[in-house]
Amino acid sequence: KYYAKEVHFFDIDERHNQGVEFYAQRFQHCVDEGNDLIMDATPDYLTYSEKISEVYNNAGADALSKLKVIVILREPISRELSWYNHKYFYAHGTGPTFERHSELVLKGIPDIHMTSLGRYVDHLKKFASLVSRDNILVLSYDELKKDPEKVQWRIQQYLGREFPGALATLNTHDDPNKLREVSASARQMLEPYFRGKNEELFEFLDAHPGPPMEQRPFPRFDVE
């Protein structure tokens, strides 16, 4: 059930090594139902643009030019806290303190793909060098929380389709062990790590606009 929504083909070697046929089979039910839009909702693909472009390029039939990428950007320290909760408390119930986790992030431990993820601009620049910027819709997590209907409109305009229902904003993982706030000491550690890259991100998005329904200028992150 988990892999039905999040295929994790590009970010988990064990799955990627099973080949493109394995990946295609994950969506065979969409083809059988006559759907011409197929979605892989894996949230961890931003750092894997080279793998993604290689697979779609090799697929032929202009598959890469038809690929539609949607990226939702959250204030990086808050994203780091969310990932920390997901990794340690939702899954296992125990883990290091967030302050210790922050120290490891600065050292690129345990996985540089994850610890660099919040430095979004590096990965967006790489993606935009491989996929047309018009095929990368960058959305604001802050807008998603405040105005989900507007974000749904942006997605529908981008994909050229209307979808029934509404985007949900409820966090279904409301675990009592969840850490809800970033301590001052952890924020002091992480803020310099992300500050320069945040500024570079806003400059990049201003200089390289995407599809017309994308926010312009892209909003600054709200500190949660």
Side-chain angles (χ1 to χ4, degrees), residues 88-119:
Y88 295 113
F89 289 112
Y90 298 155
H92 307 294
T94 59
T97 65
F98 187 67
E99 289 73 19
R100 176 55 180 159
H101 171 78
S102 299
E103 292 174 356
L104 297 175
V105 167
L106 300 182
K107 296 177 181 178
I109 300 171
D111 181 352
I112 193 62
H113 280 287
M114 290 307 300
T115 57
S116 72
L117 184 54
R119 306 179 90 178

Side-chain angles (χ1 to χ4, degrees), residues 127-141:
F127 238 120
S129 72
L130 299 167
V131 176
S132 169
R133 182 67 179 87
D134 286 336
N135 284 8
I136 304 173
L137 176 64
V138 182
L139 299 171
S140 164
Y141 177 84

Side-chain angles (χ1 to χ4, degrees), residues 26-43:
R26 303 302 95 192
F27 307 103
Q28 187 59 49
H29 65 287
C30 300
V31 176
D32 293 342
E33 293 168 4
N35 297 311
D36 60 346
L37 281 179
I38 297 173
M39 180 179 181
D40 180 347
T42 307

Side-chain angles (χ1 to χ4, degrees), residues 36-134:
D36 60 346
L37 281 179
I38 297 173
M39 180 179 181
D40 180 347
T42 307
D44 303 328
Y45 282 168
L46 188 59
T47 62
Y48 295 90
S49 56
E50 289 184 329
K51 278 186 175 181
I52 293 169
S53 65
E54 180 182 11
V55 165
Y56 279 84
N57 223 359
N58 292 339
D62 295 323
L64 185 61
S65 68
K66 298 174 184 176
L67 177 66
K68 297 278 191 176
V69 178
I70 299 176
V71 181
I72 302 176
L73 299 184
R74 183 178 187 177
E75 190 275 319
I77 298 176
S78 299
R79 188 214 66 84
E80 200 63 53
L81 177 64
S82 176
W83 186 79
Y84 167 84
N85 278 322
H86 180 79
K87 179 176 177 61
Y88 295 113
F89 289 112
Y90 298 155
H92 307 294
T94 59
T97 65
F98 187 67
E99 289 73 19
R100 176 55 180 159
H101 171 78
S102 299
E103 292 174 356
L104 297 175
V105 167
L106 300 182
K107 296 177 181 178
I109 300 171
D111 181 352
I112 193 62
H113 280 287
M114 290 307 300
T115 57
S116 72
L117 184 54
R119 306 179 90 178
Y120 304 124
V121 66
D122 294 338
H123 311 303
L124 280 175
K125 283 182 174 179
K126 186 66 176 178
F127 238 120
S129 72
L130 299 167
V131 176
S132 169
R133 182 67 179 87
D134 286 336

